[in-house]
């Protein structure tokens, strides 16, 4: 496929389990990828993949991504507050499980996150997230492909 001018995929990379999948799908679509982390992360040596290392200040990577997110951006993150900021900026936002954060879903995701944090702080045993699975990886691949096809179509006026 031809390059996707102006379309950038931002990866909140520090704990992202689908970086290889992002590279594979982006390469197929000709999208630019920016991997953002607060420490060195190895990336493939491709001209369309860029590494940005931010300070280790709390939320530095989130702030860097949120400042650049917009309608031509795809943001890959499991961080709900970052997802909310990017959705408000018009970006397409996907969790590593393939779940899309949208205007209609991000408010509930924030409320759930805040509730779970309050329960943990109160000492309630809430358990952690379920383990990342092959099904999650597959769902992510399909979701990222669909988002890039939609952005390409919109960019071409169709």
């Amino acid at each position: 496929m031809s390059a996707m001018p102006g379309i950038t995929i931002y990866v909140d990379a520090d704990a992202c389990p689908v970086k290889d999948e992002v590279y594979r799908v982006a390469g197929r679509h000709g999208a630019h990828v920016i991997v953002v982390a607060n420490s060195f992360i190895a990336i493939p040596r491709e001209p369309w993949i860029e590494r940005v290392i931010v300070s280790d200040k709390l939320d530095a990577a989130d702030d860097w991504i949120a400042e650049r997110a917009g309608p031509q951006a795809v943001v890959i993150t499991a961080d709900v507050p970052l997802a909310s900021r990017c959705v408000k900026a018009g970006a397409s936002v996907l969790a590593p499980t393939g779940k899309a954060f949208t205007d209609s879903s991000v408010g509930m995701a924030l409320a759930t996150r805040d509730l779970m944090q309050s329960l943990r702080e109160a000492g309630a045993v809430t358990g952690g997230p379920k383990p990342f699975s092959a099904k999650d990886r597959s769902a992510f691949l399909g979701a990222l492909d669909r988002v890039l096809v939609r952005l390409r179509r919109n960019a071409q006026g169709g």
Side-chain angles (χ1 to χ4, degrees):
M1 290 193 169
S2 61
M4 299 181 77
I7 296 176
T8 302
I9 302 171
Y10 295 96
V11 181
D12 183 10
D14 287 320
C16 181
V18 291
K19 290 186 284 294
D20 290 338
E21 289 77 6
V22 171
Y23 306 146
R24 192 164 69 223
V25 175
R28 213 172 38 243
H29 284 276
H32 183 208
V33 176
I34 300 178
V35 179
V36 184
N38 59 19
S39 61
F40 180 84
I41 284 188
I43 61 170
R45 296 181 92 162
E46 297 288 349
W48 46 271
I49 302 174
E50 182 181 342
R51 173 182 35 241
V52 172
I53 300 173
V54 298
S55 77
D56 60 358
K57 182 182 102 192
L58 184 64
D59 295 332
D62 296 359
D63 292 343
W64 194 95
I65 293 169
E67 288 166 7
R68 290 157 179 83
Q72 293 295 100
V74 179
V75 176
I76 310 302
T77 187
D79 183 290
V80 178
L82 172 59
S84 177
R85 293 169 67 188
C86 294
V87 165
K88 287 178 184 153
S92 299
V93 184
L94 292 175
T97 59
K99 177 181 172 275
F101 290 100
T102 63
D103 284 328
S104 58
S105 71
V106 79
M108 182 58 77
L110 275 170
T112 302
R113 175 192 171 274
D114 292 344
L115 173 63
M116 296 307 286
Q117 184 174 340
S118 294
L119 289 172
R120 283 190 297 274
E121 288 170 358
V125 177
T126 60
K130 63 181 183 157
F132 192 74
S133 69
K135 184 178 175 185
D136 294 329
R137 195 173 305 280
S138 177
F140 175 80
L141 283 164
L144 181 56
D145 191 69
R146 286 188 299 276
V147 166
L148 292 174
V149 166
R150 178 178 47 80
L151 288 174
R152 176 190 300 275
R153 208 173 297 131
N154 291 347
Q156 294 172 344

